[in-house]
Amino acid sequence: MNGDSFIKYMARQSRSNNSTRAAVADKREAILRAAITVFARNGYFNSKVSDIAGEAGIADGTVYLYFKSKEEVLHSVFDRLMEEMISEGEKELEGIIDADKRLRRIAQLHLEKLGSDRNLAIVAQVELRGSTKFMEEFSAAGFGQYLDIIRQTFIEGQKQGVFRQDLNATVCAKIFYGALDEMVTNWILSKKSYALAPMADTVMEVFFGGVLKK
Amino acid sequence: MNGDSFIKYMARQSRSNNSTRAAVADKREAILRAAITVFARNGYFNSKVSDIAGEAGIADGTVYLYFKSKEEVLHSVFDRLMEEMISEGEKELEGIIDADKRLRRIAQLHLEKLGSDRNLAIVAQVELRGSTKFMEEFSAAGFGQYLDIIRQTFIEGQKQGVFRQDLNATVCAKIFYGALDEMVTNWILSKKSYALAPMADTVMEVFFGGVLKK
Amino acid sequence: MNGDSFIKYMARQSRSNNSTRAAVADKREAILRAAITVFARNGYFNSKVSDIAGEAGIADGTVYLYFKSKEEVLHSVFDRLMEEMISEGEKELEGIIDADKRLRRIAQLHLEKLGSDRNLAIVAQVELRGSTKFMEEFSAAGFGQYLDIIRQTFIEGQKQGVFRQDLNATVCAKIFYGALDEMVTNWILSKKSYALAPMADTVMEVFFGGVLKK
Amino acid sequence: MNGDSFIKYMARQSRSNNSTRAAVADKREAILRAAITVFARNGYFNSKVSDIAGEAGIADGTVYLYFKSKEEVLHSVFDRLMEEMISEGEKELEGIIDADKRLRRIAQLHLEKLGSDRNLAIVAQVELRGSTKFMEEFSAAGFGQYLDIIRQTFIEGQKQGVFRQDLNATVCAKIFYGALDEMVTNWILSKKSYALAPMADTVMEVFFGGVLKK
DNA sequence: AATGAATGAGCATTCATTCAT
DNA sequence: TATGAATGAATGCTCATTCAT
């Protein structure tokens, strides 16, 4: 005995092919966006699942239809961010051949991306680091890949003869990333409001030419 | 008023001045050390007060004789670290006049300090950032001071004519700190075991001279 | 926007209006009844929230869906009792005009009400007094109102010419209430089992006529 | 090897006969007084042993040299009060033969005693009732004895022909006590400041003559 | 799929009591 | 006797997760 009405039956039919998948993605997306807002506001550990659900305008239980746990929500935020940064980066870097120009473009993209969404930046910089376990086990993949892109670009530059060959590419990649990262962290914590993206230029200036007077 | 003998009175005084105060400091110290170990292992939020007490070999309640709350333990870890880094730094830098040499020494000290205590480094890098609130409200003082020392040194170098005057000192300080910070973070997360301190050289090499081939 | 059928929507509505509200009231009620039992058995401070939950046959956390805290449970017990005694009293006294008959009816109702639920009486007599704060801040309203009804009735009797006009109404109301109260307290503490309500007659006899032989 | 000084030794000797016992009684007394103050302020369950010790100007542990537990302190407060009221009462009533005069004197003494020490009254009225267990198990003896003195006096009055013989002495004793008790309770809770003792007259007036107009 | 009431494991903190000094 | 640092059992409350509807 199925109590469903005809109307509901039709509605389910119409949903089942295209729109279902899209709707699912939409709601997942909405939850992730809500999570970023909430995590940025209170931190991961101080955020309740019900806060996320409330922010997303859904019931608490619904979160569990799209994510296995609160932790998985956090991982998904990170995964999506890394995925986006890498894929967007690849697209943007497609035509750029010179390693120095590629590196400069990476710096710009990095700061543009995080500078355009303060909440996302907060979660990325602060919350995602709130757990050694997380850093070790989960972020490894995405983050390592990101750092590797920088490293490969640096090596390419060394081959191209633009970058000094006496420097360790891995360490240089870290320095480069660390410098950018610090720009973001300070931007988040700053009480003043300023654009993040333009700082890419100064970073590149120093990274390329150093601070010593010649 | 008090039936105690003079000798006994003096003994008690001397105890309460020397050994008691020392004992109190010792236990506080022991708790902090235990907390660093435990926080490094599980993260702040996943650490129980009873874990800290257990690690320190004391009863749960005893923690509260020395700290007001679990949170205060975390803050104390941070405060002590910043204090140490700043005071040790000041002592080490005393005789060094050249800004470039001072900066190099700061880099070395930073990596030596954190490189000598992996747990402390983990807490410093990972746990202390696990809370936006924490970063904003508490670390502000110590961390800001630390960054300012670097900035002042840089400005000094600009005056001395060693550093380029067209660069913004604040941004350069952040780049310098960010690069060092990333060395530490990667060192912590790395599965390989290597010395952290020597990386100061490469960082200085890049920070000073840049990566571009001349 | 919602794929639910109209029928289903209506069904849910009617459920949330009737049965849901009733169910909520039922569970609140069940918790209050459980609390009275538990408080009567062990006293407020020696009762655990889990005792109340256990007695009510629900999980610990469920108590907090209906009450903000353990303390609020106690207050609710008291509030409900005062409310009931006053509203039931007003209903019962409606047609009674003579002040002496009203007073007698109040005495009967008071002892009937508490005499019909030993646990409730225990909580009312013993637990609710276990805190000066409670007596001062919370019971003020209800208890004061109750005592005032007695006082007004006494004044009415003085106007009607049944009661001596040389007596202070407030003090007489307290004597009346105090006498009844002591009946209840002794009944609770007594190891013998006897009916409480009939004692109203003796109290009225003494209160009306005094103990002196004429 | 005993480190005690000669002075201390002599001091101990001088204390050991008379003054020791007195000193012990004094400190016990001081603790009880402190306890009354503290219990009156916060209630028994909300009072810490360290509060009592602090109020008495001694160390926490010292309380346990004079009392077995916090609960025993409460019982001692009660025991001493009952003892005092009964022994003082007996002394005061010694020469009084007429039962009505005895009863009037009891009422006066009761209100004088509690009216002279608000904190004691608070503890007696409010805190000592905060536990069914307490009322049942401990106060039984003292309180029962007190009520019995009233009852016996009433019976005496019936024999003397002053009191009506158709009334149950036990119930009358309770009414009498209940009326007095309520005077005290209201006095404690009242925000206005007034003398408690004079209310004995009104209580006797009503108890003896009743409220009905003749 | 969506709901949200119910669950119950988990934990920071308190405080009566002890005991070495 | 007196101290007060140390203990550790005890508990109110939270919140991630489940599941009947």
Side-chain angles (χ1 to χ4, degrees):
Chain A
M1 192 177 82
N2 189 322
D4 281 9
S5 72
F6 175 74
I7 294 170
K8 205 181 165 193
Y9 174 79
M10 290 305 288
R12 202 188 306 128
Q13 289 304 311
S14 82
R15 246 185 291 141
S16 59
N17 278 337
N18 292 338
S19 51
T20 295
R21 205 169 294 177
V24 164
D26 271 7
K27 195 153 281 183
R28 245 190 86 95
E29 194 63 21
I31 295 170
L32 284 179
R33 258 181 286 121
I36 290 170
T37 306
V38 171
F39 289 163
R41 185 159 54 227
N42 305 318
Y44 172 73
F45 283 102
N46 292 315
S47 298
K48 305 174 215 166
V49 171
S50 69
D51 291 341
I52 300 172
E55 181 74 29
I58 57 173
D60 292 16
T62 307
V63 172
Y64 290 85
L65 297 177
Y66 296 88
F67 299 92
K68 223 185 71 192
S69 68
K70 181 185 168 188
E71 204 180 10
E72 207 201 70
V73 175
L74 182 65
H75 293 163
S76 298
V77 167
F78 181 78
D79 289 345
R80 203 190 48 164
L81 174 61
M82 285 321 277
E83 213 174 285
E84 275 178 24
M85 291 196 77
I86 289 171
S87 73
E88 286 176 14
E90 279 174 349
K91 201 187 299 170
E92 289 271 353
L93 295 173
E94 228 164 41
I96 307 175
I97 292 156
D98 297 345
D100 56 338
K101 285 176 186 153
R102 285 178 74 97
L103 230 42
R104 180 181 299 273
R105 192 76 197 102
I106 288 173
Q108 287 167 346
L109 288 170
H110 188 99
L111 299 190
E112 275 167 17
K113 178 79 183 177
L114 295 177
S116 69
D117 186 345
R118 199 165 188 274
N119 285 340
L120 182 61
I122 290 173
V123 176
Q125 296 302 108
V126 184
E127 297 313 323
L128 291 178
R129 306 195 166 184
S131 151
T132 324
K133 296 270 181 289
F134 183 73
M135 292 291 280
E136 281 171 356
E137 295 168 20
F138 301 95
S139 69
F143 180 70
Q145 202 185 340
Y146 192 72
L147 207 58
D148 201 55
I149 288 172
I150 297 170
R151 192 173 135 269
Q152 292 301 344
T153 308
F154 193 83
I155 291 173
E156 186 62 29
Q158 288 180 310
K159 283 183 193 154
Q160 291 174 357
V162 250
F163 299 148
R164 291 163 55 181
Q165 272 126 1
D166 61 318
L167 295 168
N168 178 296
T170 305
V171 179
C172 287
K174 290 178 194 169
I175 292 172
F176 176 81
Y177 179 81
L180 289 176
D181 196 61
E182 190 63 25
M183 295 303 117
V184 181
T185 301
N186 272 275
W187 177 72
I188 288 166
L189 298 179
S190 175
K191 281 155 191 163
K192 295 173 219 150
S193 181
Y194 59 89
L196 180 58
M199 311 208 75
D201 289 328
T202 313
V203 172
M204 295 321 296
E205 186 70 25
V206 172
F207 185 68
F208 281 162
V211 299
L212 289 188
K213 202 164 203 170
K214 274 119 203 183
Chain B
M1 208 164 73
N2 189 316
D4 280 9
S5 72
F6 177 73
I7 293 170
K8 214 178 161 190
Y9 173 79
M10 289 305 287
R12 203 188 301 129
Q13 287 302 308
S14 85
R15 208 191 321 135
S16 39
N17 280 342
N18 296 340
S19 51
T20 296
R21 202 169 295 176
V24 164
D26 271 6
K27 198 153 281 185
R28 241 190 90 95
E29 195 64 21
I31 294 170
L32 284 179
R33 258 181 286 121
I36 290 170
T37 306
V38 172
F39 289 162
R41 184 158 56 227
N42 304 318
Y44 173 72
F45 283 102
N46 293 315
S47 298
K48 298 174 236 167
V49 171
S50 68
D51 292 340
I52 300 173
E55 181 73 30
I58 57 173
D60 292 17
T62 306
V63 172
Y64 291 87
L65 296 177
Y66 296 87
F67 299 91
K68 228 185 68 191
S69 65
K70 181 185 166 188
E71 203 182 9
E72 209 201 67
V73 176
L74 182 64
H75 293 163
S76 298
V77 167
F78 181 79
D79 288 346
R80 206 190 43 164
L81 174 61
M82 283 323 271
E83 214 175 284
E84 277 178 22
M85 291 197 75
I86 289 171
S87 74
E88 288 178 12
E90 279 173 350
K91 200 187 302 170
E92 290 272 354
L93 295 174
E94 229 163 42
I96 307 176
I97 293 157
D98 297 344
D100 56 338
K101 283 176 187 153
R102 285 177 75 95
L103 231 41
R104 180 181 299 275
R105 192 78 196 99
I106 288 173
Q108 286 166 347
L109 288 169
H110 188 100
L111 299 190
E112 274 167 20
K113 178 80 183 175
L114 295 176
S116 70
D117 186 343
R118 196 163 190 273
N119 284 339
L120 182 61
I122 291 174
V123 176
Q125 296 301 108
V126 183
E127 297 313 322
L128 291 178
R129 308 198 164 181
S131 151
T132 323
K133 295 272 181 289
F134 183 75
M135 291 292 279
E136 282 172 356
E137 295 167 22
F138 301 95
S139 68
F143 179 70
Q145 202 184 339
Y146 192 71
L147 206 58
D148 201 55
I149 288 173
I150 297 171
R151 192 173 135 271
Q152 293 298 345
T153 309
F154 193 84
I155 291 173
E156 184 63 27
Q158 290 181 309
K159 284 182 193 154
Q160 292 173 356
V162 250
F163 299 148
R164 293 163 53 181
Q165 274 126 1
D166 62 318
L167 294 169
N168 178 296
T170 306
V171 179
C172 287
K174 290 179 194 169
I175 291 172
F176 176 81
Y177 178 81
L180 289 175
D181 195 62
E182 189 65 24
M183 296 303 116
V184 183
T185 301
N186 271 276
W187 176 72
I188 288 166
L189 299 179
S190 174
K191 280 155 192 163
K192 296 170 217 153
S193 178
Y194 59 90
L196 180 58
M199 311 206 74
D201 290 329
T202 314
V203 172
M204 296 321 294
E205 186 70 24
V206 172
F207 185 68
F208 281 162
V211 300
L212 288 188
K213 202 163 203 170
K214 276 118 202 182
Chain C
M1 207 163 74
N2 188 318
D4 280 9
S5 72
F6 175 75
I7 291 169
K8 213 176 161 189
Y9 173 80
M10 289 306 288
R12 203 187 303 131
Q13 287 302 308
S14 81
R15 208 190 321 137
S16 39
N17 281 342
N18 295 340
S19 50
T20 296
R21 201 169 296 177
V24 164
D26 272 6
K27 196 152 283 184
R28 243 191 88 95
E29 195 63 22
I31 294 171
L32 283 179
R33 257 181 285 122
I36 290 170
T37 306
V38 173
F39 290 162
R41 184 160 54 227
N42 303 318
Y44 173 73
F45 284 101
N46 293 316
S47 298
K48 299 174 236 165
V49 172
S50 68
D51 292 341
I52 301 172
E55 181 73 30
I58 56 173
D60 292 17
T62 306
V63 172
Y64 291 87
L65 295 177
Y66 296 88
F67 298 92
K68 227 185 69 191
S69 66
K70 181 185 165 187
E71 203 182 9
E72 210 201 68
V73 176
L74 182 65
H75 292 164
S76 299
V77 168
F78 181 79
D79 289 346
R80 206 189 45 165
L81 174 61
M82 282 324 273
E83 214 175 284
E84 276 178 23
M85 292 198 73
I86 289 171
S87 74
E88 286 177 14
E90 279 173 350
K91 200 186 301 170
E92 289 272 354
L93 295 173
E94 228 164 41
I96 307 175
I97 292 156
D98 297 344
D100 56 339
K101 284 176 187 153
R102 285 178 74 94
L103 231 40
R104 181 181 297 275
R105 192 77 197 98
I106 288 172
Q108 286 167 345
L109 287 170
H110 188 99
L111 300 189
E112 275 167 18
K113 178 79 185 176
L114 295 177
S116 70
D117 186 343
R118 197 163 190 275
N119 285 338
L120 182 60
I122 290 173
V123 177
Q125 296 302 108
V126 184
E127 297 313 323
L128 291 179
R129 305 196 166 184
S131 151
T132 325
K133 295 270 179 291
F134 184 75
M135 291 293 279
E136 282 172 357
E137 294 167 22
F138 301 95
S139 70
F143 180 70
Q145 203 186 339
Y146 193 72
L147 205 59
D148 201 55
I149 288 172
I150 297 170
R151 192 174 135 269
Q152 292 299 343
T153 308
F154 192 85
I155 290 173
E156 186 62 28
Q158 289 180 310
K159 283 183 193 152
Q160 291 174 359
V162 252
F163 298 148
R164 293 164 53 182
Q165 273 127 1
D166 62 319
L167 295 169
N168 179 295
T170 305
V171 179
C172 287
K174 289 179 195 171
I175 292 172
F176 176 80
Y177 178 81
L180 289 176
D181 196 60
E182 190 63 25
M183 296 302 118
V184 182
T185 302
N186 272 275
W187 176 72
I188 287 165
L189 298 179
S190 174
K191 280 155 193 163
K192 295 172 218 151
S193 179
Y194 59 89
L196 179 58
M199 312 207 74
D201 290 329
T202 314
V203 172
M204 295 321 295
E205 187 69 25
V206 172
F207 185 68
F208 281 161
V211 299
L212 289 187
K213 201 162 203 169
K214 276 120 203 181
Chain D
M1 196 176 81
N2 190 321
D4 280 9
S5 71
F6 175 75
I7 293 171
K8 206 180 163 192
Y9 174 80
M10 290 304 288
R12 204 186 303 128
Q13 289 304 310
S14 83
R15 245 185 291 141
S16 59
N17 279 335
N18 293 337
S19 51
T20 295
R21 207 170 294 177
V24 164
D26 271 7
K27 196 152 282 185
R28 244 191 86 95
E29 195 62 23
I31 295 171
L32 284 179
R33 257 182 287 122
I36 290 169
T37 306
V38 172
F39 289 163
R41 185 159 53 226
N42 305 317
Y44 172 73
F45 282 102
N46 293 317
S47 298
K48 304 173 214 167
V49 171
S50 71
D51 292 341
I52 300 172
E55 182 74 29
I58 56 172
D60 294 16
T62 306
V63 172
Y64 290 86
L65 296 177
Y66 296 88
F67 299 92
K68 222 186 70 193
S69 67
K70 180 185 168 187
E71 204 181 11
E72 209 201 68
V73 176
L74 182 65
H75 293 162
S76 299
V77 167
F78 181 79
D79 289 346
R80 202 189 48 162
L81 174 62
M82 284 321 275
E83 214 175 283
E84 277 178 23
M85 292 196 76
I86 288 170
S87 74
E88 288 177 14
E90 279 173 349
K91 199 186 303 170
E92 289 271 355
L93 295 174
E94 228 163 40
I96 307 174
I97 292 155
D98 297 345
D100 56 340
K101 284 175 187 154
R102 287 179 73 95
L103 229 42
R104 181 181 298 273
R105 192 79 196 101
I106 288 172
Q108 286 167 344
L109 288 170
H110 188 98
L111 300 190
E112 273 166 20
K113 178 79 183 174
L114 295 177
S116 70
D117 186 344
R118 198 163 189 275
N119 285 339
L120 182 61
I122 290 174
V123 176
Q125 297 300 109
V126 183
E127 297 314 322
L128 292 178
R129 307 199 166 181
S131 150
T132 324
K133 295 272 179 287
F134 183 74
M135 291 291 278
E136 282 171 357
E137 296 167 19
F138 300 95
S139 69
F143 179 71
Q145 202 185 338
Y146 192 73
L147 207 58
D148 201 52
I149 289 172
I150 297 169
R151 193 174 134 268
Q152 292 299 344
T153 308
F154 194 84
I155 290 172
E156 186 62 29
Q158 288 180 312
K159 283 185 192 151
Q160 291 174 357
V162 251
F163 299 149
R164 293 164 53 182
Q165 273 125 2
D166 62 320
L167 295 170
N168 178 297
T170 306
V171 179
C172 286
K174 290 178 194 170
I175 292 172
F176 177 80
Y177 178 81
L180 290 176
D181 195 61
E182 188 65 24
M183 295 303 118
V184 182
T185 302
N186 272 276
W187 177 72
I188 288 165
L189 298 179
S190 174
K191 280 154 193 164
K192 296 172 216 150
S193 181
Y194 59 89
L196 180 57
M199 312 207 73
D201 290 328
T202 315
V203 171
M204 296 321 295
E205 186 70 25
V206 172
F207 185 67
F208 281 162
V211 299
L212 288 188
K213 202 165 203 168
K214 273 117 204 187

